[in-house]
Amino acid sequence: MTRRLSNASLALGAAVAVLASAGSASAELRFQFGSQDRDVARMVSLGGSCNRCELSGRDLTGAAFTGAVFLNATLVGANLRGAELQGSNFTGSDFSRADLTGAEMIGANFTGANFSNAQMSGAEVSGATLVRVRMAGTDLSGAELNGANMNGAVLTGADLSSTEMNATTLANVSARSADMRSAEIAMSNLSNGDFRNVSFRDATLNGARLTGGNFAGADFRDAEMHRTDIRGADLSGARGLTQEQVQRACGDANTRLPGNLTPRVCRGVTGVRVVPHPRAVPTPPAPPVPPRVRNLVVASSGH
């Protein structure tokens, strides 16, 4: 009995420390412990609004941010493994060096956020807004980014191997030396991007738009390019391209290819609507109104 109370006290103290460091204004706190709890807390739920929160280095493993508004929050080096950040707004927040392995970030807004050198392997970020995010050196291997908007993102040196980026907006990105081996990038918009020295080896680029991009030194060995739009793309310095790949893609007189490769003009391919540079993108609409108070729920899985 003494041990059980001690563990609960430790959990309560840890939760209080997290909220105290957040620097939030008045907020209602609720702590819930099951009558049969035997171990320290295993789940933290955060909602409401907490702008410019300081959560650097915090252990938020499995935390659930639902409908939360954490604008310009600082989570440098935080442990967010398996966390849920769904439908929340983290515009301008700093996740550099944070561990988001396996996190669920579906439909969340991370406009202008910093994920430099973060661990995001296996994260599910489908449908998220990642406009102008910084992901230099970020590990996104095996992550799901289907339908995400990454217009103007910085992906220099990022690991995107085996990542799912189908129907993803990658226009105007700076992805020099990124690793996109075996990635699924079908029907995605890569127009006007900097993809110098990127590895697309074994990647799926079917139906993707590469118009206006720079691919000097990029590796396309064994990449699938069925009806890939390469009109106006500079592929003259690309490596691993074959006439068979180019013959499956759709080019034009402005397509630049290496060696003696010649582009094929596809029927039925209309003009591409190029996504403007993010600086010209209007401010995203305000997120849904969050709960009136921010609640912290700590629970255990006892039986």
Side-chain angles (χ1 to χ4, degrees):
M1 180 67 177
T2 301
R3 181 177 181 181
R4 182 181 303 173
L5 291 175
S6 176
N7 286 338
S9 298
L10 287 172
L12 177 60
V16 171
V18 170
L19 263 293
S21 67
S24 171
S26 59
E28 177 183 329
L29 309 182
R30 294 188 302 178
F31 302 95
Q32 299 179 354
F33 295 92
S35 60
Q36 297 181 347
D37 290 343
R38 291 177 293 180
D39 299 317
V40 296
R42 296 185 60 186
M43 183 177 70
V44 177
S45 178
L46 299 170
S49 178
C50 187
N51 299 339
R52 299 188 182 279
C53 278
E54 173 55 65
L55 296 169
S56 296
R58 295 294 178 181
D59 185 358
L60 297 168
T61 306
F65 296 81
T66 305
V69 179
F70 278 63
L71 305 182
N72 301 304
T74 304
L75 298 101
V76 177
N79 186 351
L80 290 154
R81 293 177 67 92
E84 298 180 9
L85 293 78
Q86 302 185 51
S88 296
N89 191 340
F90 284 88
T91 296
S93 295
D94 191 349
F95 292 88
S96 56
R97 303 193 306 280
D99 188 349
L100 290 144
T101 303
E104 295 185 15
M105 305 156 71
I106 301 172
N109 187 349
F110 298 99
T111 300
N114 184 6
F115 290 92
S116 298
N117 297 305
Q119 298 294 320
M120 299 178 67
S121 177
E124 188 171 356
V125 204
S126 298
T129 300
L130 298 163
V131 175
R132 299 190 306 276
V133 295
R134 286 169 285 169
M135 291 181 163
T138 303
D139 181 3
L140 287 152
S141 58
E144 295 183 23
L145 293 153
N146 298 318
N149 185 353
M150 303 181 73
N151 189 18
V154 176
L155 300 166
T156 309
D159 184 354
L160 292 149
S161 58
S162 301
T163 299
E164 292 184 18
M165 294 183 285
N166 298 305
T168 298
T169 298
L170 291 161
N172 307 302
V173 302
S174 178
R176 191 169 185 175
S177 300
D179 185 356
M180 297 188 183
R181 287 175 298 173
S182 302
E184 296 182 16
I185 322 175
M187 304 302 295
S188 294
N189 186 353
L190 285 69
S191 58
N192 295 333
D194 182 356
F195 296 96
R196 286 175 290 175
N197 299 315
V198 170
S199 176
F200 290 103
R201 187 171 184 178
D202 295 311
T204 302
L205 292 160
N206 297 333
R209 297 174 179 174
L210 279 58
T211 58
N214 188 341
F215 297 88
D219 186 356
F220 284 89
R221 280 178 292 175
D222 301 316
E224 293 185 22
M225 299 179 64
H226 180 64
R227 294 189 73 81
T228 301
D229 192 342
I230 58 174
R231 291 177 299 167
D234 184 1
L235 296 165
S236 59
R239 297 180 290 119
L241 273 177
T242 65
Q243 183 61 47
E244 181 180 359
Q245 288 171 301
V246 173
Q247 197 65 26
R248 290 178 176 272
C250 300
D252 62 8
N254 295 318
T255 302
R256 300 178 61 188
L257 297 171
N260 297 320
L261 302 183
T262 56
R264 177 178 72 105
V265 177
C266 297
R267 295 182 178 179
V269 177
T270 58
V272 178
R273 178 182 177 274
V274 177
V275 178
H277 192 277
R279 283 194 294 268
V281 175
T283 303
V289 178
R292 297 182 62 183
V293 296
R294 190 188 69 221
N295 297 325
L296 171 66
V297 180
V298 183
S300 295
S301 59
H303 299 286

